[in-house]
Amino acid sequence: MEYRTLGNTDLQLSAITYGAFAIGGTMWGGNEKKDSIEAIHASLDNGVTSLDTAPFYGFGLSEELIAEALKGKDRTKVQILTKFGLVWDGSNAGKGAHFFDIRDNGQNLSVYEYSSKANIIKEVEESLKRLNTDYIDLLQQHWPDVTTPIDETMEAMETLIRQGKIRAAGVSNHNLELLKEASKTLVPASNQVAYSMLNRAIETELVPYSVENNIGIIAYSPIERGLLSGKYFQNETLKSDDHRNGYFGQFDLDKMKTLLKTLAPIAAEKNATLAQLVLRWTTLQKGVTVVLAGARNAEQAISNAQAIDIDLSADELHAINSQLVDFKK
């Protein structure tokens, strides 16, 4: 595994970081607890030291599963990354900006973006309890909140750093304008953003600015929630409540198939899967510090971790990049 320094901090994160969205079950058609915990254990056993989660993932379940998986482990050798700023019914209900509505476990819930100082302090205490830890390595604002001044949000994280409850502060889903505004109060350690072969929008503005200002980029959805693995072109089916039924519809699948045909022989030569090749490509892109890779069982977790071992030459990277067009419909 490769380990990389995150932005302007002393945090060393594994280049492949475990993404714990799916194990929360919400929007992913449920979860299997045993498989989820085994996936985390397999990640740790194969060099992955960083785990990225959020209160929204399973409405607390993802954080609780991480806590259970880490029982008996050396906490100092694991970096826990979590978030704040998405609240739902029963948790500051109706405050902030309405984000979306969702049905989960038979309940209709309204989710809001809310990053007031009071809410951040509240959410961190709740996360610390669910995670069964006394500090968070990286706390990230999950989504921007137009109802709260950015300086209030960043000042709250400064306070948490001074208190020792978090080691570093980051943001997520921030465009260049918001990132600059946040930096006036506290330069974020990182910005977690969507980035993949199919979605390279950050390369134009965010990457140059982040590199120049030593702000780490945490890339999420590198495999586009499984689409770039190729298995959904092989009669793979999704549960009816899996959000990917709609998510995949944004892409031109014919162009996708052409890309995968180009990638397949490169992956085969490396004795790798398409997903592993895609993950490794992502770790090698300019400005990217770490790449999030979700896994719902041990087999997937091991495969993700082993992606870092793939050697891609400059010529091979160029060959791949030459095939990357606009894949959106």
Side-chain angles (χ1 to χ4, degrees):
M1 183 55 62
E2 294 178 8
Y3 302 94
R4 300 174 177 178
T5 302
L6 185 68
N8 54 10
T9 76
D10 61 358
L11 284 178
Q12 291 285 310
L13 306 185
S14 51
I16 302 293
T17 288
Y18 183 81
F21 186 8
I23 65 169
T26 301
M27 298 175 62
W28 291 84
N31 81 314
E32 294 292 337
K33 178 179 177 179
K34 179 176 179 291
D35 289 345
S36 299
I37 291 176
E38 288 179 352
I40 296 170
H41 286 166
S43 296
L44 297 173
D45 291 343
N46 285 270
V48 172
T49 62
S50 311
L51 311 174
D52 180 86
T53 183
F56 171 72
Y57 301 163
F59 299 101
L61 178 59
S62 177
E63 290 184 326
E64 291 169 353
L65 287 171
I66 286 176
E68 186 166 344
L70 293 182
K71 284 180 181 177
K73 305 290 185 182
D74 185 344
R75 173 69 179 87
T76 65
K77 294 184 178 179
V78 179
Q79 303 84 48
I80 296 177
L81 290 53
T82 194
K83 308 178 185 75
F84 66 85
L86 290 188
V87 300
W88 54 91
D89 294 356
S91 174
N92 286 319
K95 294 183 179 179
H98 181 260
F99 193 18
F100 62 89
D101 297 319
I102 187 171
R103 185 169 178 79
D104 184 72
N105 288 325
Q107 287 185 296
N108 293 317
L109 301 174
S110 294
V111 180
Y112 293 80
E113 299 158 330
Y114 187 48
S115 292
S116 72
K117 180 177 181 178
N119 180 62
I120 295 168
I121 302 301
K122 172 181 179 292
E123 285 203 57
V124 166
E125 292 301 326
E126 292 170 346
S127 287
L128 289 171
K129 184 176 180 180
R130 284 191 293 261
L131 290 163
N132 192 30
T133 186
D134 56 5
Y135 70 95
I136 292 162
D137 294 277
L138 176 68
L139 181 69
Q140 306 158 90
Q141 182 183 16
H142 204 153
W143 284 89
D145 167 25
V146 297
T147 70
T148 301
I150 294 178
D151 59 350
E152 177 180 337
T153 299
M154 302 310 291
E155 285 171 3
M157 289 200 279
E158 276 187 315
T159 298
L160 289 164
I161 291 174
R162 287 196 302 270
Q163 293 175 343
K165 293 182 178 180
I166 69 173
R167 292 179 64 191
V171 295
S172 181
N173 299 300
H174 278 46
N175 59 25
L176 181 59
E177 180 182 358
L178 288 172
L179 193 57
K180 287 181 176 180
E181 187 65 27
S183 297
K184 292 177 181 178
T185 303
L186 174 67
V187 177
S190 57
N191 187 14
Q192 184 175 142
V193 287
Y195 181 61
S196 74
M197 290 181 176
L198 309 185
N199 179 10
R200 300 164 63 201
I202 67 169
E203 293 179 354
T204 304
E205 295 183 336
L206 271 178
V207 168
Y209 180 83
S210 299
V211 170
E212 181 179 353
N213 291 277
N214 197 20
I215 298 172
I217 292 176
I218 298 176
Y220 74 79
S221 293
I223 310 177
E224 287 298 352
R225 312 187 191 196
L227 189 60
L228 281 167
S229 71
K231 63 183 180 180
Y232 295 104
F233 296 110
Q234 301 171 4
N235 299 318
E236 183 82 9
T237 58
L238 300 172
K239 293 183 179 180
S240 60
D241 56 347
D242 193 314
H243 75 288
R244 291 174 293 177
N245 286 298
Y247 182 83
F248 291 165
Q250 67 183 294
F251 299 110
D252 185 322
L253 297 184
D254 287 332
K255 289 182 179 179
M256 271 285 310
K257 291 177 183 178
T258 299
L259 173 64
L260 295 181
K261 286 178 181 178
T262 300
L263 298 179
I266 301 175
E269 182 182 343
K270 306 293 181 181
N271 195 28
T273 66
L274 282 170
Q276 287 176 318
L277 179 65
V278 170
L279 282 177
R280 185 53 171 157
W281 175 88
T282 313
T283 68
L284 295 170
Q285 299 311 297
K286 183 178 179 181
V288 172
T289 307
V290 300
V291 177
L292 300 187
R296 303 183 76 169
N297 57 53
E299 182 182 5
Q300 291 175 355
I302 293 169
S303 178
N304 290 343
Q306 291 176 342
I308 205 69
D309 298 325
I310 298 173
D311 180 35
L312 287 174
S313 68
D315 287 343
E316 288 168 331
L317 286 170
H318 177 74
I320 293 171
N321 292 343
S322 68
Q323 300 300 313
L324 302 183
V325 296
D326 182 359
F327 292 95
K328 296 291 184 73
K329 284 184 176 178

